[in-house]
Amino acid sequence: MTDQSTVHSVTYDLLRTLKLTTVFGNPGSTEQTFLQDFPEDFSYVLALQEASVIAMADAFAQVTGRPALVNVHSSAGMGNAVGNLVAASHANTPLIVTSGQQHRELVIGEPYLGNREATTLPKPWVKWSYEPARAEDVPEAFMRAYAEALQPPAGPVYLSIPMDDWNRPLSGFDRVRTVSHRVAPDPQRLRGFADRISASRRPALVFGPEVDRSGGWDAAIALAEKLSARVYGAPLPDRAAFPEDHRLFGGPLGMSVKTISDRLAGHDLVVVIGAEVFRYYPYVPGDYLPDGTALLQITGDPAAAAAARVGDSLLGDPGLAIELLLDLVAEGSTRTAPEPMARPRELPQTPNSPLTPPEVYAALSRVRPADAVIVNESTSTMAQQLEWLPTTRTGSFFATASGGIGWGTPAAVGVALGDRDRGVVRPVVGLIGDGSFQYSVQAIWTAAQHDLPIVYVVMRNHEYSILKSFAVLEQTPGVPGLDLPGLDIASVARGFGCRAVEVKSGEDLEREFTAALSAGTTTVIVVPTQPQKAML
């Protein structure tokens, strides 16, 4: 390298200006010209596989509230990354994903490690996909990528950059821009929505992930209390948007068409804010809404509004919309307040061996710090987790938005790194199934290398319980590959540099979890459990 300005030096100056100084990646040969002479004021977070790279960056961006920069290897690395790119897309996470392309002079001949049809590979899971026509366009491509990723609805974007572009001379780039990332709802339509809400005799509120992402947690509580309305959790949420121990909270809405319709019976109006209408799975036929029930949706995502099967939609930032609604809706004091949700929380007098998931969560509930953040990928036990470990603070619950597994383990790393970046100290707890843990197990190496105080609680039930539950529901007996014998998770965790223990009782779990909170490193606690039939 010389003192002459290059595409490399100019782009890094732009990245500094945009505060994109943390790079999540796994380097390949076509990326080394981008990573050469890596500046001391930048941080490189190495993950051992690209799916982990994406999930870490996804959670980091969600926690910090700003776009994250990702670098993966050509088409092979991008292919590995796509599974968790789907989750980032559904979660509206602003990511700038980059990969190297072969040398421009070789591309026409389909060279080894060439990224064939590079801009097609990540579609449809990116908002914008681009390979600069000229080396001189690289900084401006990053500028547009930043704007595209951040503007609503936020989401991942992709840049493929030929490896020889970085050393090309370039005098500079001076067209740094800022962009808005919040859009207010149409005032007249919002006023009409407010009038319909005020006139409702028994409204229901469904708050979804967009509410938490837009900072609308406190406003959502105020709106529910002003309306004296029952609040339900959106189906298959990747963020919690309302305190799950609140007297107005009625639990999860359900997942299937029939379950959701049955749950909403008796409400004359359903107001869905910050969520799809609805995330359905599995298919159980029924009416989309009960007779006599109307639906209003407020979302910042035009695609979510267009895809809704029922109801009237309004586009706008959910946090802003809720704040405006607070001044527009009438007090609900004449309505009969909903009865608090029953929480039986029954446990056997004699502990089971192995423990059941409710017994695991009950033990954790006794030792979980109030400010702990939960990353959940124990898909068959999420209902029990909500019962025993309800989310009570904003930004304190994360799950995959795509339905695929392999996101949660690296996402916990991203949450912890995001907290460290913004100067927040709180425990990060990964609740992971033994099957899920295998998909991105290499992510715990990154956690150990960064001394992240994450506590993973891995429930070892020796099977894909969620798939066995679906097999019963869908009447598909004899499906192979649903059992998971022979996994020594604790030994694998130690091999990646983590502290690891196996526990068999609730008392042991409480003791080891408490010790893990002050261990100063990553701990994996393996808990043999009985399979749990999922509540579908």
Side-chain angles (χ1 to χ4, degrees):
M1 295 288 291
T2 68
D3 293 333
Q4 183 184 34
S5 292
T6 61
V7 170
H8 184 276
S9 61
V10 170
T11 301
Y12 271 84
D13 285 343
L14 173 63
L15 295 176
R16 287 187 184 91
T17 301
L18 298 177
K19 295 183 170 55
L20 295 172
T21 57
T22 299
V23 181
F24 292 85
N26 183 275
S29 56
T30 54
E31 289 69 45
Q32 289 183 338
T33 45
F34 165 58
L35 297 171
Q36 64 186 317
D37 298 322
F38 197 70
E40 292 184 359
D41 59 328
F42 279 62
S43 299
Y44 187 85
V45 179
L46 173 63
L48 301 183
Q49 207 262 9
E50 291 87 354
S52 290
V53 169
I54 293 286
M56 289 177 194
D58 181 351
F60 181 87
Q62 291 195 51
V63 167
T64 61
R66 64 178 192 268
L69 182 59
V70 176
N71 184 240
V72 297
H73 178 44
S74 190
S75 55
M78 193 66 237
N80 288 338
V82 166
N84 279 333
L85 190 65
V86 176
S89 178
H90 281 297
N92 297 126
T93 304
L95 298 181
I96 301 172
V97 182
T98 65
S99 71
Q101 174 62 291
Q102 256 288 9
H103 196 287
R104 285 183 182 269
E105 291 189 7
L106 294 177
V107 168
I108 194 171
E110 303 290 356
Y112 189 67
L113 297 182
N115 197 346
R116 185 179 302 175
E117 297 187 31
T119 60
T120 302
L121 179 58
K123 293 179 179 179
W125 307 113
V126 293
K127 294 175 61 181
W128 184 58
S129 187
Y130 186 67
E131 186 173 281
R134 307 177 305 158
E136 294 83 357
D137 295 333
V138 170
E140 189 159 6
F142 272 92
M143 186 68 254
R144 179 171 172 183
Y146 178 85
E148 292 270 7
L150 194 57
Q151 287 183 301
V157 298
Y158 173 69
L159 294 176
S160 169
I161 305 170
M163 60 188 298
D164 54 316
D165 282 6
W166 294 105
N167 292 328
R168 296 285 182 88
L170 187 65
S171 59
F173 178 76
D174 59 3
R175 296 189 301 281
V176 179
R177 306 170 54 240
T178 60
V179 294
S180 171
H181 64 279
R182 304 187 79 181
V183 177
D186 173 68
Q188 183 175 351
R189 189 165 177 83
L190 185 67
R191 199 172 298 112
F193 274 33
D195 291 343
R196 293 176 65 179
I197 294 169
S198 297
S200 171
R201 299 183 311 279
R202 189 167 180 254
L205 295 171
V206 180
F207 292 124
E210 291 177 57
V211 172
D212 199 41
R213 288 198 289 268
S214 64
W217 179 280
D218 292 335
I221 297 171
L223 181 63
E225 292 177 347
K226 184 172 184 179
L227 295 173
S228 192
R230 173 69 80 198
V231 176
Y232 297 103
L236 299 162
D238 50 283
R239 299 275 289 262
F242 192 82
E244 294 167 346
D245 62 348
H246 194 282
R247 58 183 175 81
L248 293 174
F249 185 67
L253 191 57
M255 293 163 33
S256 71
V257 172
K258 184 179 188 308
T259 302
I260 292 173
S261 182
D262 291 348
R263 199 90 162 88
L264 294 174
H267 293 290
D268 60 335
L269 182 67
V270 181
V271 185
V272 180
I273 305 180
E276 301 166 44
V277 180
F278 289 103
R279 282 182 179 171
Y280 292 117
Y281 195 84
Y283 176 63
V284 180
D287 296 325
Y288 284 99
L289 285 176
D291 287 341
T293 303
L295 186 143
L296 303 176
Q297 179 197 31
I298 301 174
T299 175
D301 187 347
R309 306 297 295 272
V310 291
D312 301 321
S313 297
L314 170 62
L315 289 173
D317 181 273
L320 292 176
I322 297 171
E323 291 171 3
L324 293 168
L325 279 175
L326 276 169
D327 293 329
L328 295 174
V329 297
E331 191 84 32
S333 56
T334 59
R335 298 188 183 101
T336 302
E339 291 293 325
M341 181 177 67
R343 295 179 182 273
R345 294 186 174 179
E346 295 179 357
L347 293 173
Q349 291 185 347
T350 302
N352 287 288
S353 181
L355 296 172
T356 63
E359 289 174 297
V360 172
Y361 288 138
L364 294 176
S365 73
R366 293 188 284 269
V367 291
R368 175 186 66 160
D371 62 341
V373 56
I374 286 177
V375 180
N376 189 316
E377 199 168 275
S378 174
T379 52
S380 64
T381 70
M382 293 188 77
Q384 291 72 37
Q385 180 254 301
L386 187 150
E387 180 182 353
W388 289 94
L389 298 172
T391 301
T392 60
R393 301 186 183 195
T394 184
S396 294
F397 174 84
F398 298 89
T400 179
S402 71
I405 58 177
W407 184 88
T409 302
V413 178
V415 170
L417 288 170
D419 280 349
R420 181 175 289 178
D421 180 85
R422 64 196 183 111
V424 171
V425 178
R426 59 177 179 167
V428 178
V429 181
L431 304 175
I432 314 293
D434 54 355
S436 293
F437 197 63
Q438 308 313 310
Y439 273 66
S440 299
V441 66
Q442 71 285 130
I444 63 176
W445 177 86
T446 304
Q449 291 295 309
H450 288 265
D451 292 320
L452 297 177
I454 302 170
V455 185
Y456 290 104
V457 179
V458 182
M459 282 180 273
R460 179 78 176 102
N461 61 18
H462 302 272
E463 66 179 31
Y464 290 120
S465 284
I466 187 69
L467 296 181
K468 288 192 174 183
S469 297
F470 280 129
V472 172
L473 176 72
E474 295 163 355
Q475 300 179 17
T476 54
V479 175
L482 302 186
D483 293 311
L484 297 171
L487 293 175
D488 188 347
I489 293 172
S491 294
V492 170
R494 293 186 192 103
F496 279 116
C498 296
R499 177 178 175 269
V501 294
E502 185 165 328
V503 300
K504 294 184 178 179
S505 69
E507 292 80 5
D508 289 345
L509 176 57
E510 291 180 44
R511 183 184 66 255
E512 292 295 347
F513 185 88
T514 301
L517 292 175
S518 57
T521 188
T522 302
T523 299
V524 176
I525 302 176
V526 184
V527 189
T529 57
Q530 298 182 22
Q532 174 72 50
K533 182 179 179 181
M535 300 177 65
L536 303 174

